[in-house]
Every structure is written in C-alpha cells, then in structure tokens.
Amino acid sequence: MADEQKIVVEIPSDRGYSPGPSTPEVSKLEEFKKGWINAIALPDNLPDLIYTLTSSISIPALLSSCWVNIPFPGFMRGGVLGVLVIAGVVVLYLRQSVPEVKDILLLRVGLVAVGVLLGI
C-alpha cells in the first residue's frame, strides 16, 4: 500500500463549472501586425534612440563607401543588388499591409538613404 497515489477528482457544482477566466484569442494577422509594429518602432529611452538613429545612418554609409572603393566581382554586386530589390519589395509590402508603421518606416528608409549618400 505504500506505492498508492491519491487521486483528486473535481466535481462541478450545480451553479456551473468554470475552468478559469476565458481569454479572447487574437487572430494571427493581428499578432503579425503587432510584431512588425514593435519591431519597427523607435525605442522609448534616449540612449537607445540615439544608438538606433546613429546606426541607421553610419552602417549604410560604411557599406556604400566599401561598395564604391572596393572592387567587388560582378556576381557579388549582382547578389547585393538582388537582396536590395527583395528588401525593397518587403518594405513596400509592410507599408501596405501594416499602415500603422508607414511614418516610422519612411523615417528609417530616409535615414538609410542619408547614410548611403554620405558614404558615396
């Protein structure tokens, strides 16, 4: 009898049985939109905001400077241009499917364009 386990069975009362508070399920599309809004939004605190804005300008400037000054083979340049085209299509898709990020997306693309112009 030492290896017997106690089994507890919960019997619902006459008032009705509620397993817990029901939470409304959010659709997958809403989760997708919230995820992209959180990913594209600017940070709330000042140091992270400064870092984000600075890196949005300096990294494209560095890459475009390397693009101009280093003689890459043609297939590498074609591959990079292909990736840029795909990134542009994704940005246009996000602009249409998640209208809440339109302004911040325009700001980020503008910062990248400034960085590219500074690097050239």
Side-chain angles (χ1 to χ4, degrees), residues 2-3 5 10 14 25 37 43 63 67 72 93 97 102 112 115:
D3 40 359
Q5 292 182 349
E10 189 173 315
D14 293 339
E25 290 191 26
I37 290 170
L63 293 176
W67 180 268
F72 290 114
Y93 172 74
S97 66
K102 188 168 94 173
V112 169

Side-chain angles (χ1 to χ4, degrees), residues 97-115:
S97 66
V98 188
E100 293 88 2
V101 299
K102 188 168 94 173
D103 296 332
I104 196 70
L105 195 61
L106 183 63
L107 173 70
R108 288 191 179 263
V109 169
L111 289 174
V112 169
V114 166

Side-chain angles (χ1 to χ4, degrees), residues 10-81:
E10 189 173 315
I11 301 172
S13 66
D14 293 339
R15 294 179 271 147
Y17 178 73
S18 174
S22 63
T23 57
E25 290 191 26
V26 181
S27 70
K28 296 289 183 184
L29 181 62
E30 291 300 320
E31 288 180 19
F32 173 79
K33 286 183 178 182
K34 282 183 184 179
W36 276 107
I37 290 170
N38 291 337
I40 295 175
L42 291 174
D44 294 333
N45 55 358
L46 187 62
D48 285 344
L49 178 65
I50 291 171
Y51 174 76
T52 300
L53 295 177
T54 305
S55 64
S56 294
I57 294 173
S58 62
I59 293 173
L62 174 69
L63 293 176
S64 64
S65 176
C66 290
W67 180 268
V68 170
N69 294 324
I70 299 174
F72 290 114
F75 71 92
M76 285 181 72
R77 289 187 184 266
V80 170
L81 289 176

Side-chain angles (χ1 to χ4, degrees), residues 82-104:
V83 168
L84 288 176
V85 167
I86 292 171
V89 169
V90 169
V91 166
L92 290 175
Y93 172 74
L94 282 175
R95 187 168 181 248
Q96 289 178 351
S97 66
V98 188
E100 293 88 2
V101 299
K102 188 168 94 173
D103 296 332
I104 196 70

